[in-house]
């Protein structure tokens, strides 16, 4: 079966969205646990309990991020190139923070020195906090537009220097988006700890999940109002056929207030995304109160998927809007690779994704169960 170019462009928009959501749910959980580590673990044994809830899985979960980056590079090369110019310093900051995770997990328990172990606990905290915050900041800046443009030869030019590129990204709306990202990932990690640990760690995680869930709901609502009344969105006025070869300058785009909400008028079913976002997080809070963390974890995952989908749907068909020259904005229809490239990648996903999901499910099944202080003392099935 050969899919037409227009269909493949849309499919890859969905697939990359799924990869980003999968990363947020799987590796976001690990990052959330890392952020909570110095606070929920009052003793070294409790901290080892917390680490061992994610220790066997964190590196596999991080593959979601690597896969998403590779997919963007192959499916949307123009987005990859322009984004690295605009977010170069932010991406380096995330990369350096991520360095702490493998080293922290592997080295922490090698030496029985409280100062040594405490230092690596805070390193794991940084390795979870910085990426969780910066990813949200990046989404906040996408909604406002990135200062780049294409010349007549379709060469991307970014306005700003390398050393000063980070500060403009830390604007108020982007920081609010960063708070949403950080709060929902840490909440998700707290839901996981409720499942995999016993009191008192699980009780502390329960309290954190309840409060952070309320923070996510309030911040998400505030961001929605800000998008509606405080920043300009982008709207395509004219464009070539959707199955035409990629050419970002062949369309006309305008920036106007409220444009990011237009999809909820043209495709009313899209309103399900923010409803699922609010509903999933609130349900997770309720289930934490009722001490049903298993269902709460599923609700939290649905809420995160709804929040991320809300951002993606609101921007559709834009992927990387340009605040410098709206016509240079990259969309689902003019950013992708060739028809052949998208086709080969699509069939690779069809063949390999079920295998990856099956293997991941098997790993979680084989290493399931609560991690306890007694188990840590006995040294059974613990490596960290």
């Amino acid at each position: 079966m050969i899919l037409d170019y227009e269909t493949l462009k849309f499919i890859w928009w969905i697939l990359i969205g799924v990869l980003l959501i999968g990363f947020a749910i799987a590796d976001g959980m690990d990052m959330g646990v890392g952020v909570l580590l110095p606070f929920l673990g009052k003793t070294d044994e409790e901290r080892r309990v917390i680490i061992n809830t994610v220790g066997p899985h964190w590196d596999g979960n991080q593959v979601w991020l690597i896969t998403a980056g590779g997919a963007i590079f192959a499916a949307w090369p123009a987005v990859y190139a322009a984004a690295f110019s605009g977010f170069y310093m932010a991406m380096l900051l995330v990369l350096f923070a991520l360095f702490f995770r493998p080293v922290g997990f592997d080295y922490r328990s090698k030496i029985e020195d409280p100062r040594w172990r405490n230092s690596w606990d805070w390193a794991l905290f940084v390795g979870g906090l910085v990426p969780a915050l910066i990813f949200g900041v990046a989404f906040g800046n996408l909604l406002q537009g990135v200062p780049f443009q294409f010349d007549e030869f379709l060469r991307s030019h970014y306005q700003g220097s390398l050393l000063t590129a980070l500060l403009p990204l830390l604007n108020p709306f982007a920081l609010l988006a960063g708070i949403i990202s950080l709060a929902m990932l840490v909440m998700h990690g707290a839901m996981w700890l409720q499942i995999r640990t016993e009191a008192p760690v699980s009780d502390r995680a329960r309290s954190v999940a309840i409060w952070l869930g309320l923070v996510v709901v309030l911040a998400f609502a505030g961001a929605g109002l800000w998008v509606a009344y405080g920043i300009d969105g982008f709207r395509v006025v004219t464009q070539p056929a959707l199955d035409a070869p990629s050419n970002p300058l062949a369309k006309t785009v305008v920036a106007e207030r409220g444009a990011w909400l237009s999809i909820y008028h043209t495709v009313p079913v899209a309103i399900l995304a923010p409803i699922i976002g609010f509903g999933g997080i609130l349900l997770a809070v309720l289930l934490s109160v009722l001490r049903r963390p298993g269902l709460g974890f599923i609700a939290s995952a649905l809420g995160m998927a709804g929040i991320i989908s809300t951002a993606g749907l609101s921007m559709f068909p834009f992927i990387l809007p340009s605040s410098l020259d709206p016509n240079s904005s990259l969309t689902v229809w003019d950013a992708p690779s060739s028809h052949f490239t998208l086709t080969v990648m699509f069939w690779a996903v069809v063949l390999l994704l079920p295998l990856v999901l099956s293997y991941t499910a098997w790993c979680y099944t084989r290493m399931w169960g609560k991690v306890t202080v007694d188990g840590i003392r006995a040294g059974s099935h613990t490596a960290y």
Side-chain angles (χ1 to χ4, degrees):
M1 181 178 65
I2 299 177
L3 298 174
D4 63 81
Y5 198 18
E6 178 184 343
T7 301
L8 280 170
K9 290 178 179 180
F10 184 68
I11 287 175
W12 271 102
W13 176 75
I14 295 175
L15 287 176
I16 291 177
V18 169
L19 288 173
L20 293 175
I21 291 172
F23 163 68
I25 293 173
D27 201 33
M29 169 189 75
D30 303 333
M31 293 180 184
V33 169
V35 172
L36 293 172
L37 174 63
F39 307 103
L40 299 191
K42 303 301 182 182
T43 66
D44 180 67
E45 289 177 332
E46 288 181 353
R47 292 187 179 187
R48 288 188 66 194
V49 165
I50 293 171
I51 291 173
N52 275 275
T53 63
V54 297
H57 309 292
W58 74 269
D59 47 355
N61 292 338
Q62 192 162 286
V63 172
W64 285 92
L65 175 62
I66 299 169
T67 305
I72 292 173
F73 171 77
W76 298 337
V79 173
Y80 189 89
F84 261 89
S85 297
F87 299 124
Y88 192 82
M89 292 302 296
M91 290 180 178
L92 279 181
L93 186 61
V94 168
L95 182 62
F96 291 152
L98 290 175
F99 288 163
F100 286 121
R101 300 180 71 202
V103 182
F105 281 118
D106 288 341
Y107 283 5
R108 181 196 183 274
S109 295
K110 299 297 184 183
I111 300 176
E112 294 186 9
D113 182 341
R115 292 174 300 178
W116 170 270
R117 294 188 172 187
N118 188 62
S119 297
W120 287 117
D121 290 340
W122 284 104
L124 290 171
F125 166 81
V126 172
L129 174 75
V130 172
L133 180 66
I134 295 298
F135 289 142
V137 168
F139 263 99
N141 279 280
L142 288 181
L143 287 163
Q144 297 175 93
V146 180
F148 77 96
Q149 64 180 350
F150 290 102
D151 61 20
E152 65 272 19
F153 301 107
L154 294 183
R155 295 176 300 189
S156 175
H157 299 275
Y158 178 78
Q159 186 182 65
S161 67
L162 179 63
L163 296 178
T164 61
L166 184 60
L167 291 179
L169 299 179
L170 302 177
N171 55 78
F173 177 77
L175 289 174
L176 177 60
I179 290 172
I180 296 172
S181 174
L182 176 61
M184 73 178 185
L185 295 188
V186 176
M187 173 197 174
H188 196 55
M191 299 301 302
W192 177 252
L193 289 176
Q194 290 180 70
I195 300 173
R196 296 296 309 277
T197 64
E198 295 180 342
V201 174
S202 61
D203 290 338
R204 297 172 193 147
R206 174 173 169 267
S207 299
V208 169
I210 292 171
W211 284 107
L212 285 181
L214 299 177
V215 171
V216 173
V217 169
L218 291 175
F220 186 42
L225 293 174
W226 202 328
V227 168
Y229 302 107
I231 63 175
D232 289 339
F234 294 79
R235 181 171 61 87
V236 176
V237 178
T238 63
Q239 65 180 10
L242 302 184
D243 59 351
S246 298
N247 181 4
L249 298 181
K251 64 182 181 300
T252 304
V253 177
V254 295
E256 58 186 21
R257 192 62 49 89
W260 288 145
L261 304 180
S262 61
I263 192 170
Y264 302 106
H265 300 288
T266 57
V267 186
V269 72
I271 197 66
L272 288 176
I275 291 175
I276 292 173
F278 281 116
I281 299 299
L282 288 172
L283 182 59
V285 170
L286 176 61
L287 290 168
S288 287
V289 172
L290 298 176
R291 298 183 184 275
R292 299 295 299 275
L295 293 175
F297 183 82
I298 296 173
S300 173
L302 287 174
M304 294 169 63
I307 290 173
I308 297 171
S309 297
T310 298
L313 287 170
S314 297
M315 291 178 59
F316 186 84
F318 291 90
I319 303 170
L320 191 67
S322 170
S323 59
L324 198 59
D325 174 27
N327 292 340
S328 293
S329 300
L330 293 166
T331 72
V332 172
W333 313 119
D334 57 31
S337 296
S338 68
H339 189 183
F340 178 76
T341 300
L342 297 186
T343 300
V344 172
M345 291 172 59
F346 171 75
W347 288 113
V349 169
V350 170
L351 294 174
L352 297 178
L353 185 59
L355 179 63
V356 172
L357 293 177
S358 299
Y359 170 74
T360 302
W362 180 83
C363 289
Y364 274 95
T365 301
R366 296 296 297 173
M367 290 179 275
W368 190 253
K370 287 188 179 292
V371 183
T372 65
V373 171
D374 290 340
I376 293 292
R377 290 171 180 168
S380 60
H381 303 294
T382 59
Y384 302 97

